[in-house]
Amino acid sequence: MTAKAADYAVPADRVDEPRPARTTRSSDYSGLLRQVRDAGLLDRRPRYYVWKGAAVLLALVAGWTAFVLIGESWWQLGTAAFLAAVFAQLAFLGHDAGHRQITGRRNRDYLLGILFGNLAIGVGIGWWTSNHNRHHAHPNTEDADPDVMGVLAHSSLRARTGRGLRRVIFRYQGWLFFPMLLLEGWSLHFSSVRAIVRRDIPRRGLEAATLFAHAAGYLTVVFLVLPPLQAVVFTLVQQGLFGLYMGSTFAPNHKGMEVLPAGDNTDYLRRQVLTARNVRGGFVVDTAFGGLNYQIEHHLFPSMPRPNLRRAQPIVAAYCADLGVPYCETGVLASYAQSIGHLNTVGRSTRTSAVPA
């Protein structure tokens, strides 16, 4: 019997204890969860997040201080690049808060998400959490994962159903991927506002007020310090590089991994492992990717604090090897090659006859 989509859903307030799909393999995940929990890897890491949050917020203050001190100058494009990287690091902290990795308390982590997301970078934590939890419940699943139903086609079936401009984008999506990421920052802002207008999220008043405060503060500072042309260019560069950075850290996570059909009832452990890819690296890669290079571990244990993902990785890899479950881990360059190669392969399938609607 095919399981309903609801059978896969992970409650937003219980992301650390997902409900396995109703299959005989559900105990496989229970065994891994027991090992990870016994190792203390689901315990909070408050000191890590205190220094990490303080360091990133200090970098934000330093960036805007430098912006004001430099004043009218095209050297501000360097400041734009720096602030784009800082915005991405704040987004990673907002991501962790959305998964309740920081305090483990819904309201406290929500307020931290408001700080790191809405106020600091203009991305609504309410919209993001709702959208991202659906992705976690149904990774790489057609008609269920919002991340594979967007502007790109992840399967040949979907690519062949494209029409008009969408079909053109699908066909050349491998080549267009990185240029399109320059628009990702704007897409995040737009989606945040749209969720408020559509009443898709709770606490709309707080979400709207904090997003407006960010936009007003950002634009006021930029246009007070710089003349109009430089202000516009600064904004386009800073937001474009922010989107490029964010999209580049997301690209290796799932692209080129198994795509599941709508209504798939693969058990929880295999669904999360088979659809995700890890990226090897040390401290630099861990920092640059915000811990998302441990995508398999993050998907298996969404509320696991970021610094514990590295420690969980060998446990998960060994467990998957014992079960005979393929575990994908590769280097940074290879991960991009595989991701873009997959998008190109899918795009070429548009040359075949279209699938009837």
Side-chain angles (χ1 to χ4, degrees), residues 78-217:
T79 312
F82 175 78
L83 283 172
V86 174
F87 270 37
Q89 291 296 320
L90 286 161
F92 295 144
L93 286 169
H95 166 272
D96 293 0
H99 280 298
R100 297 204 293 162
Q101 295 178 16
I102 301 178
T103 71
R105 302 291 183 88
R106 179 188 298 178
N107 290 336
R108 292 179 184 177
D109 279 323
Y110 175 76
L111 291 177
L112 288 173
I114 288 286
L115 171 63
F116 295 130
N118 297 48
L119 282 171
I121 63 175
V123 177
I125 189 65
W127 161 77
W128 179 87
T129 301
S130 174
N131 187 77
H132 195 62
N133 280 347
R134 285 187 288 134
H135 159 69
H136 267 265
H138 309 279
N140 269 24
T141 304
E142 297 279 7
D143 295 329
D145 180 359
D147 288 359
V148 300
M149 301 306 294
V151 70
L152 302 176
H154 292 251
S155 68
S156 297
L157 177 63
R158 182 161 187 261
R160 291 194 295 269
T161 62
R163 296 289 188 275
L165 178 60
R166 174 163 290 189
R167 187 176 181 85
V168 174
I169 293 175
F170 287 169
R171 183 167 183 174
Y172 300 104
Q173 61 185 5
W175 295 98
L176 294 173
F177 178 68
F178 285 109
M180 286 193 299
L181 289 183
L182 294 171
L183 301 175
E184 178 64 19
W186 299 105
S187 176
L188 294 173
H189 300 316
F190 173 77
S191 297
S192 300
V193 173
R194 183 177 59 182
I196 294 172
V197 173
R198 291 183 175 181
R199 302 174 180 269
D200 291 339
I201 58 174
R203 303 181 182 179
R204 291 171 56 246
L206 177 59
E207 295 270 351
T210 48
L211 286 177
F212 177 80
H214 167 81

Side-chain angles (χ1 to χ4, degrees), residues 24-44:
T24 57
R25 294 177 170 181
S26 62
S27 61
D28 289 342
Y29 178 74
S30 299
L32 177 59
L33 176 61
R34 189 178 309 112
Q35 287 189 30
V36 167
R37 182 173 286 151
D38 289 346
L41 299 180
L42 294 178
D43 296 344
R44 300 304 99 196

Side-chain angles (χ1 to χ4, degrees), residues 73 98 140 181 234-235 258-259 281 283 289:
S73 170
N140 269 24
L181 289 183
F234 173 90
T235 302
E258 186 168 343
V259 177
F283 175 78
F289 279 74

